[in-house]
């Protein structure tokens, strides 16, 4: 199963590399695009849950690393949820 990393920039300027066990991230995000924090978190939830389920379908168990990444994304985004203009930029994909 092809893995990928997607790099994001949070509203405070911090950049983070995020892991996915599947290329499904490409179906949910576009490099160079900004997303309101709440929308980014919802898309990340859908994408990483889908990625984990693809692992389950293939290997019989969910991807704990994808689910851990989702938890890290939720924690990183939480401080910005009350900032109506806060945006997360998806910077790049690497394979």
């Amino acid at each position: 199963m092809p893995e990928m990393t997607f790099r994001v920039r949070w509203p405070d300027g911090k950049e983070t590399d995020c892991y996915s066990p599947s290329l499904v991230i490409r179906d949910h995000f576009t490099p160079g695009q900004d997303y309101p924090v709440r929308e980014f978190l919802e898309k990340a939830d859908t994408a990483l849950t889908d990625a984990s389920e693809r692992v389950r379908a293939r290997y019989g168990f969910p991807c704990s690393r994808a689910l851990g990444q989702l938890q890290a994304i939720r924690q990183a985004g939480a401080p910005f949820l009350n900032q109506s203009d806060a945006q997360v930029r998806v910077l790049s994909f690497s394979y």
Side-chain angles (χ1 to χ4, degrees), residues 7-90:
R7 187 165 186 84
V8 301
R9 181 180 305 129
W10 296 98
D12 61 2
K14 181 180 176 187
E15 294 184 7
T16 305
D17 287 326
C18 303
Y19 169 81
S20 173
S22 166
L23 302 181
V24 71
I25 297 300
R26 298 181 306 183
D27 298 339
H28 299 274
F29 295 114
T30 302
Q33 187 165 337
D34 293 326
Y35 298 88
V37 172
R38 190 170 306 282
E39 180 183 349
F40 175 80
L41 295 176
E42 289 169 0
K43 285 178 168 285
D45 185 275
T46 300
L48 289 168
T49 299
D50 287 352
S52 179
E53 287 304 310
R54 287 182 180 200
V55 171
R56 182 194 306 271
R58 186 161 194 181
Y59 300 107
F61 53 86
C63 179
S64 60
R65 189 169 171 198
L67 298 175
Q69 180 64 71
L70 178 55
Q71 185 60 31
I73 287 172
R74 288 175 179 152
Q75 288 176 343
F80 306 109
L81 283 171
N82 292 327
Q83 298 175 19
S84 61
D85 60 342
Q87 302 273 316
V88 178
R89 175 168 285 217
V90 175

